[in-house]
Amino acid sequence: MADGLLSGVLGGDDDKPEVEAPRTLANAEAYAAAVAAIASHHDPGVARKTEEFLGQQTQLLRVQKEHLIDEHAVRLHMLQSEAREVDIRRFSLRLRVGFQLFLVLIATTLGVGVAVMIHDAFSSRSVVIDAFGAPPSLAPQGLNGQVLAADLLDVLTRIQAASRANVEHRQLSNAWTNDIAIDVPETGISIGQIERTLKERFGHDQRIDGDLVRADSGGLALTVRGTGILPQTFTGDAGALSSLLTQAGEYVYGQSQPGLWTAYLSNNGRDADAIRFAQAAYARVALSERPYVLNYWANALVDQGAAGADAKALPLYREAVRLKPDFWIGYNNIMSALFGRGDEEEVVGVGKQLMKLAGGRPGRAPEIYYQNYDQAVWDLRAEHAELLADADAHGGVGTAAVSGGAAYLSIAQIDAQLHDVEAAALRLQMTPVDPGNIPDVAAAALDRALLAEERGDLAAAAGAWDAYAAAYANPTVSTNNPNYICFSAVTYQKTGQSAKADAALAAVGARKFVDCDRFRGDVQDLRGDWAGAQAWYAKAVKLAPDIPSGYYSWGLALARHGDLNAAAARLEEANRKGPHWADPLKAWGDVLARQGKTAEALAKYDEALQYAPKWKELQQARAAAARQS
């Protein structure tokens, strides 16, 4: 302790922190008082001198204390200043890093933009229309090169919108539509011009231009030309510019997009034009376009409805899928042509082939292209979903409107076959029918007939079948839907119109269909010829062993005749061939219920309800079985 006191008195021990000065000063004052008190007992002079010395030391320590306080404030201020400088330097560093990151972001964005422009240039396959040449004398009428090019673009756009083809549509554009109002510094070249230059250098665009001149006769002569397109001149009166532009647009479209042009002609009732164009153009079109030309060429043959149209179309469809193995619509059309020829068993085989190639269902092939397969195996729910999606994607018309009528009419037919009376009636009511469109008329008559049969009104059904028979006389209807006329035979027979029943069954000619054979069996059964009926059922099954409808009709007939075991066996086979068809399951449940196998009957009814949930007779049968269980 003494060392500490002396150190405080003498101001030593430099290593001690300045903040301990107040405690040292207090110790010194106490020490001075103690020494003075002791010295006063021995020598008052010594005591006085000692007290003076110690007083001076105390004063010195007070001065040191004040100095240390001031120095502490100064050092604290310096530390605060240094901290502020550190904060400023840190903020400056962050600002610099942020600015650098911003520059990197801008450079990256520009780089990505340039990369996108280059990629677009290499992959571009557009049809670009440049400004036309036009005489100054037409300027007062508002006609110049850009107006003419824009009018031609409108024609091409309308054609493309009306094609309704499942073909990749090429982009149509004006040569000046993509300009961006940003100039590259010190060049005066716009970003749009750079983009066009890249596409011209590296792309695969097809450029179209032309000119309009006064003809010697006083009329107009419109010439169009382009990449890979031979110049063609169209002449007409001075007031026929709109017609000239339409002719020029059709010529350009056909030359630049032959697949889509064939589709346009076929889908818009110009079958003869489609066939002539396809025959003339096929040899010169690119390999990538040939499957599409073949497909719509074949469609035009079928839609014309000439004798043997399906047989003529089938090799074209098959060549299309040979050239393009993933041409999914081609497989669907092969199935359609096979069905039209009466080769229904082959339809099932092609459908399974499509499923395998597409990697199953759902797979790479759009579901709509399984339509003919689903129709053959009576997967009505799947067919219903496919047609509905197709209709919604094509403005309620669907891709098969030319040959099969408006899509919603086909959907109403399936509603009726699913025994959903309310849905079928509502859809039929809400779908306009064009009386000048024979496929529309036929589809609406078929819907009304099936709906009346569901309601048990056979007289109304027979009247609707009369309207369908009249439409069936048109080759487009009889070629595309050859078997539906046979559905009318049973109704005609039940209403006492045997001659009409026979005429309906004979209308298909030499072609053989499962539906026609099974309904022949029903007609013979109604006429009391049970042996003849069974012979026709056997023919239906033999004709297409993988199609369930022959087994179904045979099973129903056996049940009517009381042969329940044989009926159950036929209905079980129908269910195996068409597992998503409610009708065989319901009929099988009825047979089981008659056999007293209530629990098994309930299981079949419940399964059937998965595929026809709105079927009232099925609901009633299920409720009756539940009460007995």
Side-chain angles (χ1 to χ4, degrees), residues 190-341:
S190 70
I191 299 297
Q193 290 172 322
I194 294 176
E195 184 178 9
R196 285 202 304 275
T197 301
L198 288 172
K199 288 184 177 181
E200 289 174 2
R201 178 65 179 84
F202 302 109
H204 307 281
D205 290 346
Q206 192 162 31
R207 306 195 73 87
I208 307 296
D209 62 18
D211 51 69
L212 179 68
V213 299
R214 292 280 188 185
D216 295 338
S217 61
L220 297 174
L222 177 64
T223 300
V224 289
R225 64 184 67 83
T227 309
I229 298 176
L230 293 175
Q232 183 76 15
T233 300
F234 304 90
T235 59
D237 297 334
L241 181 58
S242 177
S243 175
L244 296 180
L245 284 167
T246 298
Q247 295 176 51
E250 291 187 349
Y251 172 75
V252 166
Y253 201 92
Q255 296 297 307
S256 64
Q257 304 188 69
L260 279 171
W261 177 240
T262 313
Y264 170 81
L265 294 172
S266 175
N267 290 338
N268 288 276
R270 296 171 60 178
D271 298 315
D273 290 340
I275 294 168
R276 281 194 298 270
F277 175 81
Q279 288 173 330
Y282 182 76
R284 61 175 174 77
V285 300
L287 288 175
S288 60
E289 291 277 341
R290 288 185 178 183
Y292 304 103
V293 173
L294 288 167
N295 182 71
Y296 293 102
W297 180 358
N299 282 359
L301 288 170
V302 173
D303 292 340
Q304 272 191 323
D310 290 301
K312 294 177 182 177
L314 188 57
L316 298 178
Y317 290 136
R318 283 182 165 152
E319 178 65 8
V321 299
R322 188 192 69 80
L323 293 174
K324 183 176 172 58
D326 63 348
F327 190 43
W328 309 122
I329 191 175
Y331 295 95
N332 186 59
N333 288 336
I334 288 174
M335 288 186 275
S336 179
L338 288 170
F339 179 78
R341 294 200 320 174

Side-chain angles (χ1 to χ4, degrees), residues 37 42 64 75 154 186 202 224 244-245 254 271 295 346 354 376 501 513 527 535 584 608:
H42 300 284
Q64 288 179 341
R75 290 190 177 186
D154 291 341
E186 301 180 359
F202 302 109
V224 289
L244 296 180
L245 284 167
D271 298 315
N295 182 71
E346 288 190 58
L354 170 60
F513 298 99
R527 292 175 179 175

Side-chain angles (χ1 to χ4, degrees), residues 506-528:
V508 297
R511 293 174 294 180
K512 303 293 183 182
F513 298 99
V514 171
D515 287 332
C516 295
D517 283 354
R518 68 187 180 106
F519 288 131
R520 281 189 177 94
D522 288 344
V523 168
Q524 292 302 109
D525 191 23
L526 287 169
R527 292 175 179 175

Side-chain angles (χ1 to χ4, degrees), residues 97-121:
V97 171
F99 185 69
Q100 290 172 346
L101 289 175
F102 178 69
L103 292 177
V104 169
L105 179 61
I106 291 177
T108 302
T109 302
L110 290 174
V112 170
V114 171
V116 169
M117 289 175 62
I118 294 174
H119 174 270
D120 289 346

